[in-house]
Structure formats: structure tokens, C-alpha cells
């Protein structure tokens, strides 16, 4: 999501870090980021595959919360770009979310 608009914004990175630290604590958050960085360096991870994995292991409501969180990341820099909206809509499709649910979440941010 952070790269969706073609640039990496530190405000968006800080948003993610603050969320993980507040949810998991500093040590656990750092461990999660280390693991994530190791995986990313070793191979390219497909958003479609990640969403398919999550579809099998999470309830619909959890996937709605994920899209909400991703909108929060997109808006962390004060603006949700069209490229970010397009990426979020793509992910919502992979998550098999209803269009009306996506539009409802989008309305909270735009």
C-alpha cells in the first residue's frame, strides 16, 4: 500500500509502525518487521496470493478491517491518491468484499 502511488512516504511508514507498536508492543513489532523484511528480500510476494491465504483463514469482517487499516495508511500523508484508491479496490476484489462495503469504508476517508 505504501508504494501504491509510486513513492514511499515516511508518514505512511510511521503510521504502520505506530499501529504495530500500539497493538503488539515494541519488541514484537520489531520482530514482525524483521521477519517481513527478510521475506520481502528473498522473494516477491503477490498481493493476490496473500489475500487468497487470508480469505481462507479470516472472517469477512476481519478483511473489512484490513481494508480500513490500508485506507488509514493511504491517508496518513493527508491525501488518498487515485492510484491508492485503485490499489485498494483491487485488494478489496481479492478479498471478495462487496462493492457497497468498500464504498462505505472509502467514504470514511474521502
Amino acid at each position: 500500500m505504501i508504494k501504491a502511488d509510486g513513492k514511499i512516504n515516511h508518514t505512511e511508514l510511521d503510521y504502520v509502525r505506530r499501529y504495530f507498536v500500539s497493538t503488539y508492543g515494541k519488541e514484537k513489532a520489531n520482530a514482525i518487521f524483521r521477519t517481513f523484511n527478510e521475506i520481502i528480500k528473498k522473494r516477491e510476494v503477490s498481493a493476490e496470493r496473500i489475500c487468497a491465504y487470508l480469505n481462507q483463514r479470516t472472517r469477512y469482517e476481519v478483511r473489512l478491517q484490513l481494508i480500513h487499516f490500508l485506507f488509514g495508511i493511504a491517508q496518513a500523508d493527508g491525501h488518498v491518491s487515485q492510484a491508492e484508491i485503485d490499489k485498494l479496490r483491487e485488494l478489496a476484489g481479492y478479498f471478495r468484499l462487496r462493492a457497497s462495503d468498500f464504498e462505505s469504508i472509502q467514504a470514511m476517508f474521502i
Side-chain angles (χ1 to χ4, degrees), residues 23-83:
T23 303
Y24 302 108
K26 190 171 184 175
E27 285 185 34
K28 180 73 172 172
N30 286 337
I32 291 168
F33 288 123
R34 276 193 303 275
T35 301
F36 175 78
N37 287 329
E38 289 173 17
I39 291 169
I40 293 299
K41 288 177 187 173
K42 291 180 183 175
R43 62 183 178 267
E44 185 164 328
V45 181
S46 159
E48 187 173 9
R49 285 183 59 203
I50 292 170
C51 292
Y53 177 86
L54 291 171
N55 285 344
Q56 296 172 356
R57 290 161 179 80
T58 61
R59 295 186 340 254
Y60 186 82
E61 296 81 9
V62 171
R63 297 191 305 273
L64 287 174
Q65 289 177 320
L66 286 168
I67 288 294
H68 186 273
F69 174 65
L70 293 172
F71 260 108
I73 294 170
Q75 190 189 48
D77 63 357
H79 174 71
V80 181
S81 71
Q82 187 59 50

Side-chain angles (χ1 to χ4, degrees), residues 1-5 7-18 72-81 84:
M1 187 75 261
I2 292 173
K3 294 181 183 179
D5 57 2
K7 54 191 172 210
I8 296 175
N9 185 300
H10 290 288
T11 307
E12 294 171 344
L13 288 170
D14 290 342
Y15 178 90
V16 173
R17 176 159 285 292
R18 280 191 312 274
I73 294 170
Q75 190 189 48
D77 63 357
H79 174 71
V80 181
S81 71
E84 289 170 322

